[in-house]
């Protein structure tokens, strides 16, 4: 089983906050300038910048500054580590569910 350790932990920590998840959802549609990202939230711009810094440190987003305008983008492949890990967990869980289904079918009372 591959070890995704640090990268997976960083992505999960970054996505644990609902504001950061909302930002990622907005960026999945298209890149945006910081002021556009801040508009739906009732928080000061420095607070949103902290959220963006957490996402950037985790490698989820990238940003570029052109003059006074900072544009933020979702980093291509940033969530692949999460997708891979979830896929690895799905198989054992599905096997357990299959075994439970078989057990319940075998132990169900027979209709007369």
């Amino acid at each position: 089983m591959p070890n995704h350790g640090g990268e997976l932990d960083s992505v999960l920590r970054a996505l644990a906050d609902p504001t950061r998840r909302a930002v990622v959802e907005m960026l999945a549609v298209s890149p945006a300038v910081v002021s556009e990202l801040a508009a739906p939230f009732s928080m000061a711009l420095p607070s949103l910048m902290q959220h963006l810094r957490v996402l950037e440190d985790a490698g989820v987003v990238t940003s570029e500054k052109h003059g006074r305008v900072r544009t933020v983008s979702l980093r291509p492949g940033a969530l692949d580590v999460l997708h891979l890990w979830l896929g690895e967990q799905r198989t054992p869980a599905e096997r357990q569910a299959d075994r439970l289904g078989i057990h319940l079918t075998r132990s169900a009372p027979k209709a007369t």
Side-chain angles (χ1 to χ4, degrees):
M1 177 181 298
N3 181 5
H4 307 292
E7 185 180 3
L8 177 63
D9 290 347
S10 294
V11 170
L12 287 171
R13 248 189 314 286
L15 296 177
D17 183 88
T19 299
R20 293 193 286 267
R21 286 194 306 273
V23 167
V24 168
E25 289 172 9
M26 291 176 1
L27 293 174
V29 175
S30 70
V33 297
V34 172
S35 59
E36 292 171 348
L37 292 173
F41 304 106
S42 58
M43 67 176 65
L45 195 58
S47 296
L48 181 69
M49 292 300 294
Q50 286 180 327
H51 285 292
L52 292 175
R53 198 167 308 115
V54 170
L55 289 168
E56 196 161 9
D57 289 347
V60 176
V61 302
T62 59
S63 67
E64 292 181 358
K65 190 169 184 178
H66 297 279
R68 298 182 62 170
V69 178
R70 180 170 294 280
T71 303
V72 183
S73 304
L74 190 60
R75 188 177 66 77
L79 303 178
D80 287 353
V81 68
L82 183 59
H83 178 73
L84 291 170
W85 183 80
L86 288 171
E88 291 166 1
Q89 303 318 305
R90 183 173 293 126
T91 302
E94 288 171 349
R95 279 196 299 263
Q96 285 181 330
D98 290 344
R99 284 194 305 264
L100 176 61
I102 291 167
H103 171 73
L104 293 174
T105 301
R106 288 180 179 164
S107 61
K110 304 286 188 229
T112 55

